[in-house]
Amino acid sequence: MSHAVNSENPMSVLTEAARTVQQRAWAPYSKFRVGAALESTEGKVFTGCNVENASYPAGICAERGALASAIASGARAFVRVVIVSDADTPAPPCGMCRQALVEFAPALEVVSITTGGQTARWSLADLLPFPFTPSSLAHA
Ligand SMILES: [Zn+2]
């Protein structure tokens, strides 16, 4: 799902989109619902929620769900992601999501918000200081 960011206040658009998609999370096992809204450099917003599975490793995080939706729509570069979760303190993306996001947005702004409104901000470069990137595959 995508829609355009209102340039007046991209954060409120992203936060609202993340809150909306969080309500659709499928989290019957952890009861930990997460919504993510990823903004492309073109100003489009792509959302994802966590989708758990009875076979636990088959589940996927909200952030990678949003990324898959964005890539499938043709977006390739991103400026920020807003994550909303049920955690008591703002939850950063897991390691796998950091790795997935760095492929497309090494300098991504990561904003995490609790349902209670507590907010934290990081740069993906700080969350993943030594990323494995396409250039890591280079060999002589
Ligand atoms: Zn994750």
Side-chain angles (χ1 to χ4, degrees):
M1 171 184 183
S2 83
H3 40 272
V5 160
N6 176 345
S7 59
E8 298 294 317
N9 191 346
M11 269 305 297
S12 68
V13 172
L14 289 162
T15 301
E16 186 56 37
R19 285 192 195 287
T20 297
V21 74
Q22 182 199 20
Q23 300 306 311
R24 301 184 192 129
W26 179 250
Y29 310 107
S30 71
K31 316 286 188 202
F32 187 76
R33 298 169 308 147
V34 184
L38 181 64
E39 180 186 354
S40 73
T41 50
E42 292 90 11
K44 285 190 173 171
V45 180
F46 301 91
T47 58
C49 58
N50 53 330
V51 182
E52 295 181 348
N53 193 280
S55 172
Y56 286 17
I60 187 168
C61 300
E63 298 92 321
R64 278 178 291 133
L67 181 63
S69 171
I71 297 303
S73 295
R76 290 292 183 270
F78 307 95
V79 291
R80 69 179 59 85
V81 64
V82 172
I83 302 158
V84 174
S85 80
D86 291 331
D88 292 335
T89 57
C94 79
M96 193 179 287
C97 287
R98 295 177 199 194
Q99 179 62 42
L101 290 165
V102 80
E103 176 95 2
F104 301 96
L108 189 72
E109 178 186 7
V110 179
V111 182
S112 182
I113 305 172
T114 65
T115 44
Q118 240 193 91
T119 301
R121 290 169 193 271
W122 305 275
S123 164
L124 183 57
D126 292 332
L127 292 176
L128 192 63
F130 300 101
F132 189 90
T133 65
S135 67
S136 304
L137 294 172
H139 48 73

XYZ file of all heavy atoms in Angstrom, residues 55-115:
428
model
N 4.740 -21.588 12.417
C 6.133 -21.971 12.246
C 6.933 -20.687 12.454
O 7.117 -19.892 11.520
C 6.357 -22.530 10.836
O 7.737 -22.714 10.620
N 7.364 -20.440 13.673
C 7.880 -19.117 14.066
C 8.857 -18.471 13.084
O 8.720 -17.292 12.777
C 8.512 -19.194 15.460
C 7.538 -19.300 16.604
C 6.211 -19.668 16.413
C 7.948 -19.047 17.906
C 5.318 -19.773 17.473
C 7.068 -19.147 18.980
C 5.752 -19.510 18.759
O 4.885 -19.605 19.807
N 9.876 -19.211 12.581
C 10.840 -18.533 11.691
C 10.228 -18.049 10.377
O 10.848 -17.258 9.663
C 11.912 -19.606 11.433
C 11.757 -20.578 12.550
C 10.288 -20.582 12.871
N 9.034 -18.498 10.042
C 8.397 -18.059 8.800
C 7.805 -16.658 8.924
O 7.396 -16.066 7.928
C 7.306 -19.050 8.382
N 7.767 -16.112 10.122
C 7.234 -14.767 10.315
C 8.134 -13.707 9.706
O 9.318 -13.951 9.437
N 7.564 -12.530 9.479
C 8.353 -11.422 8.929
C 8.045 -10.155 9.721
O 6.927 -9.964 10.199
C 8.095 -11.216 7.416
C 9.065 -10.176 6.832
C 6.651 -10.845 7.149
C 9.064 -10.125 5.318
N 9.061 -9.302 9.837
C 8.925 -8.046 10.582
C 8.198 -6.992 9.741
O 8.188 -7.048 8.508
C 10.289 -7.493 10.947
S 11.298 -8.558 11.968
N 7.669 -6.006 10.432
C 6.972 -4.896 9.775
C 7.883 -4.138 8.811
O 7.467 -3.785 7.701
C 6.439 -3.939 10.837
N 9.120 -3.919 9.231
C 10.035 -3.120 8.416
C 10.329 -3.806 7.079
O 10.357 -3.163 6.028
C 11.359 -2.890 9.158
C 11.216 -2.115 10.463
C 11.034 -3.019 11.676
O 10.327 -4.055 11.587
O 11.605 -2.679 12.727
N 10.576 -5.114 7.129
C 10.857 -5.820 5.879
C 9.596 -5.986 5.036
O 9.669 -6.048 3.808
C 11.543 -7.161 6.144
C 13.048 -6.982 6.371
C 13.754 -8.277 6.686
N 13.349 -8.744 8.010
C 12.981 -9.976 8.296
N 12.981 -10.901 7.367
N 12.631 -10.301 9.520
N 8.449 -6.035 5.677
C 7.192 -6.055 4.929
C 7.012 -4.759 4.147
O 6.637 -4.770 2.971
N 7.300 -3.640 4.801
C 7.194 -2.336 4.133
C 8.210 -2.236 2.999
O 7.902 -1.731 1.911
C 7.411 -1.207 5.147
N 9.417 -2.723 3.251
C 10.467 -2.678 2.228
C 10.074 -3.521 1.011
O 10.231 -3.080 -0.130
C 11.797 -3.168 2.814
C 12.988 -3.163 1.859
C 13.323 -1.746 1.397
C 14.209 -3.809 2.519
N 9.545 -4.701 1.245
C 9.139 -5.562 0.126
C 8.047 -4.895 -0.697
O 8.072 -4.933 -1.935
C 8.667 -6.920 0.658
N 7.110 -4.259 -0.028
C 6.039 -3.558 -0.741
C 6.614 -2.424 -1.591
O 6.223 -2.237 -2.752
C 5.041 -2.999 0.277
O 4.111 -2.156 -0.354
N 7.561 -1.695 -1.018
C 8.168 -0.566 -1.730
C 8.947 -1.038 -2.955
O 8.804 -0.485 -4.047
C 9.097 0.204 -0.780
N 9.750 -2.055 -2.771
C 10.555 -2.562 -3.885
C 9.648 -3.107 -4.984
O 9.874 -2.861 -6.172
C 11.547 -3.643 -3.387
C 12.535 -3.044 -2.381
C 12.284 -4.278 -4.564
C 13.344 -1.866 -2.865
N 8.599 -3.794 -4.589
C 7.657 -4.334 -5.585
C 6.972 -3.227 -6.366
O 6.548 -3.424 -7.505
C 6.627 -5.226 -4.889
N 6.867 -2.047 -5.760
C 6.242 -0.907 -6.438
C 7.227 -0.109 -7.273
O 6.842 0.871 -7.917
C 5.590 0.019 -5.406
O 4.536 -0.641 -4.760
N 8.508 -0.468 -7.209
C 9.500 0.204 -8.040
C 10.366 1.205 -7.301
O 11.301 1.749 -7.883
N 10.075 1.482 -6.031
C 10.911 2.414 -5.265
C 12.257 1.750 -4.975
O 12.335 0.522 -4.818
C 10.217 2.804 -3.957
N 13.305 2.564 -4.923
C 14.641 2.006 -4.710
C 15.482 2.768 -3.690
O 16.565 2.316 -3.316
C 15.413 1.976 -6.042
C 14.882 0.953 -7.037
C 15.129 -0.467 -6.552
N 14.702 -1.467 -7.509
C 13.492 -2.010 -7.561
N 12.566 -1.642 -6.694
N 13.199 -2.924 -8.459
N 15.011 3.942 -3.248
C 15.781 4.728 -2.280
C 14.822 5.351 -1.279
O 13.683 5.707 -1.632
C 16.585 5.807 -2.998
N 15.284 5.493 -0.033
C 14.376 5.879 1.045
C 15.020 6.898 1.970
O 16.237 6.894 2.163
C 13.957 4.629 1.822
C 13.400 3.573 0.911
C 14.224 2.561 0.419
C 12.098 3.625 0.475
C 13.740 1.608 -0.477
C 11.599 2.686 -0.423
C 12.416 1.671 -0.898
N 14.191 7.741 2.557
C 14.710 8.769 3.460
C 14.459 8.445 4.925
O 15.292 8.738 5.774
C 14.157 10.178 3.135
C 14.712 10.668 1.819
C 12.644 10.198 3.122
N 13.309 7.875 5.248
C 13.071 7.544 6.655
C 12.038 6.441 6.797
O 11.266 6.164 5.885
C 12.626 8.773 7.458
C 11.266 9.310 7.150
C 10.929 10.509 8.018
N 11.871 11.597 7.857
C 11.783 12.526 6.891
N 10.801 12.501 6.027
N 12.695 13.479 6.799
N 12.094 5.816 7.971
C 11.090 4.830 8.327
C 10.580 5.191 9.716
O 11.350 5.588 10.593
C 11.653 3.383 8.287
C 12.756 3.158 9.308
C 10.536 2.357 8.467
N 9.273 5.110 9.885
C 8.662 5.312 11.191
C 8.077 3.973 11.635
O 7.345 3.323 10.891
C 7.562 6.399 11.147
C 6.797 6.448 12.472
C 8.182 7.759 10.847
N 8.458 3.576 12.839
C 8.039 2.299 13.401
C 7.172 2.575 14.626
O 7.553 3.380 15.482
C 9.279 1.478 13.831
C 10.221 1.246 12.653
C 8.862 0.162 14.481
C 11.655 0.948 13.073
N 6.038 1.918 14.718
C 5.188 2.030 15.903
C 5.045 0.638 16.497
O 4.756 -0.327 15.775
C 3.799 2.608 15.548
C 2.878 2.568 16.762
C 3.926 4.037 15.040
N 5.292 0.536 17.806
C 5.174 -0.773 18.457
C 4.503 -0.650 19.810
O 4.319 0.446 20.332
C 6.561 -1.413 18.635
O 7.202 -0.848 19.763
N 4.167 -1.818 20.362
C 3.535 -1.884 21.678
C 4.557 -1.860 22.812
O 4.188 -1.968 23.976
C 2.728 -3.186 21.807
C 1.493 -3.198 20.919
O 0.945 -2.111 20.655
O 1.077 -4.296 20.500
N 5.844 -1.725 22.478
C 6.885 -1.781 23.511
C 6.753 -0.615 24.487
O 6.176 0.418 24.173
C 8.264 -1.744 22.849
N 7.311 -0.797 25.691
C 7.290 0.268 26.700
C 8.240 1.401 26.317
O 8.006 2.559 26.654
C 7.707 -0.281 28.069
C 6.666 -1.236 28.640
O 5.473 -1.117 28.254
O 7.038 -2.102 29.449
N 9.341 1.046 25.648
C 10.283 2.055 25.162
C 10.439 1.849 23.656
O 10.238 0.733 23.156
C 11.661 1.921 25.850
O 12.151 0.597 25.636
C 11.552 2.176 27.352
N 10.787 2.900 22.916
C 10.872 2.784 21.450
C 11.820 1.657 21.027
O 12.979 1.624 21.438
C 11.399 4.150 21.016
C 10.984 5.081 22.108
C 11.087 4.269 23.378
N 11.312 0.759 20.201
C 12.084 -0.406 19.780
C 12.824 -0.109 18.475
O 12.206 0.317 17.497
C 11.162 -1.598 19.586
N 14.130 -0.330 18.448
C 14.854 -0.197 17.180
C 14.572 -1.414 16.297
O 14.125 -2.450 16.789
C 16.319 -0.160 17.619
C 16.350 -0.938 18.891
C 15.017 -0.718 19.558
N 14.844 -1.312 14.996
C 14.662 -2.474 14.118
C 15.613 -3.605 14.528
O 16.719 -3.333 15.002
C 15.041 -1.954 12.729
C 15.135 -0.476 12.838
C 15.357 -0.144 14.272
N 15.205 -4.836 14.305
C 16.070 -5.978 14.611
C 17.242 -6.002 13.631
O 17.247 -5.289 12.617
C 15.279 -7.290 14.542
S 14.998 -7.904 12.869
N 18.221 -6.810 13.910
C 19.410 -6.877 13.072
C 19.117 -7.244 11.634
O 19.708 -6.690 10.697
N 18.191 -8.164 11.436
C 17.881 -8.595 10.070
C 17.259 -7.447 9.274
O 17.563 -7.262 8.092
C 16.951 -9.809 10.106
C 16.816 -10.512 8.774
S 15.731 -11.958 8.842
C 16.778 -13.102 9.728
N 16.415 -6.672 9.917
C 15.795 -5.532 9.230
C 16.817 -4.430 8.957
O 16.773 -3.785 7.918
C 14.620 -4.992 10.038
S 13.182 -6.081 9.977
N 17.739 -4.217 9.879
C 18.795 -3.225 9.630
C 19.560 -3.607 8.368
O 19.847 -2.771 7.512
C 19.766 -3.155 10.821
C 19.111 -2.641 12.089
C 20.069 -2.647 13.270
N 19.306 -2.578 14.514
C 19.831 -2.307 15.708
N 21.121 -2.073 15.830
N 19.065 -2.260 16.776
N 19.912 -4.879 8.272
C 20.648 -5.359 7.114
C 19.819 -5.210 5.837
O 20.325 -4.797 4.793
C 21.055 -6.821 7.321
C 21.801 -7.427 6.151
C 23.121 -6.714 5.859
O 23.860 -6.369 6.776
N 23.403 -6.481 4.588
N 18.540 -5.534 5.903
C 17.684 -5.432 4.712
C 17.570 -3.980 4.254
O 17.639 -3.683 3.057
C 16.297 -6.006 5.012
N 17.437 -3.068 5.203
C 17.250 -1.654 4.861
C 18.531 -1.002 4.344
O 18.477 -0.140 3.459
C 16.739 -0.889 6.091
C 15.298 -1.211 6.511
C 15.028 -0.703 7.930
C 14.285 -0.625 5.527
N 19.688 -1.412 4.861
C 20.944 -0.746 4.489
C 21.275 -0.960 3.011
O 21.970 -0.145 2.405
C 22.109 -1.200 5.405
C 22.681 -2.551 4.973
C 23.199 -0.143 5.447
N 20.747 -2.009 2.435
C 20.960 -2.281 1.006
C 20.471 -1.106 0.156
O 21.053 -0.787 -0.876
C 20.185 -3.553 0.620
C 20.234 -3.923 -0.850
C 21.326 -4.924 -1.172
O 22.035 -5.366 -0.246
O 21.454 -5.270 -2.359
N 19.408 -0.446 0.595
C 18.767 0.611 -0.193
C 18.924 2.004 0.409
O 18.724 2.995 -0.293
C 17.268 0.305 -0.352
C 17.014 -1.009 -1.028
C 16.777 -2.152 -0.286
C 17.053 -1.104 -2.407
C 16.563 -3.380 -0.904
C 16.841 -2.321 -3.043
C 16.603 -3.459 -2.288
N 19.219 2.073 1.710
C 19.230 3.388 2.362
C 20.217 3.411 3.527
O 19.825 3.398 4.686
C 17.826 3.722 2.859
N 21.532 3.500 3.214
C 22.538 3.471 4.281
C 22.393 4.606 5.298
O 22.770 4.455 6.449
C 23.865 3.608 3.519
C 23.548 3.230 2.114
C 22.115 3.551 1.881
N 21.833 5.739 4.863
C 21.707 6.885 5.774
C 20.262 7.080 6.236
O 19.864 8.171 6.652
C 22.208 8.147 5.087
N 19.476 6.021 6.180
C 18.052 6.111 6.539
C 17.860 6.695 7.939
O 18.568 6.333 8.881
C 17.446 4.699 6.499
C 15.930 4.591 6.635
C 15.246 5.087 5.363
C 15.534 3.132 6.897
N 16.893 7.586 8.080
C 16.495 8.065 9.407
C 15.482 7.056 9.959
O 14.511 6.715 9.278
C 15.849 9.453 9.303
C 15.384 9.975 10.654
C 14.615 11.298 10.561
O 14.325 11.755 9.440
O 14.292 11.843 11.625
N 15.745 6.586 11.167
C 14.870 5.592 11.790
C 14.201 6.237 12.997
O 14.885 6.709 13.909
C 15.676 4.350 12.236
C 14.767 3.333 12.909
C 16.400 3.724 11.047
N 12.889 6.288 12.977
C 12.123 6.870 14.076
C 11.245 5.776 14.658
O 10.539 5.084 13.918
C 11.234 8.040 13.586
C 10.482 8.667 14.757
C 12.068 9.088 12.854
N 11.318 5.590 15.969
C 10.506 4.563 16.614
C 9.626 5.205 17.679
O 10.096 6.024 18.481
C 11.401 3.495 17.246
O 10.607 2.474 17.822
N 8.366 4.835 17.666
C 7.378 5.458 18.551
C 6.604 4.355 19.274
O 6.203 3.365 18.658
C 6.398 6.336 17.724
C 7.178 7.358 16.895
C 5.389 7.023 18.632
C 6.315 8.134 15.904
N 6.402 4.531 20.565
C 5.569 3.573 21.304
C 4.107 3.971 21.142
O 3.803 5.109 20.747
C 5.914 3.564 22.800
O 5.572 4.846 23.350
C 7.403 3.300 23.026
N 3.224 3.050 21.480
C 1.806 3.397 21.410
C 1.496 4.527 22.402
O 0.548 5.271 22.222
C 0.917 2.167 21.668
O 1.437 1.446 22.784
C 0.876 1.253 20.471
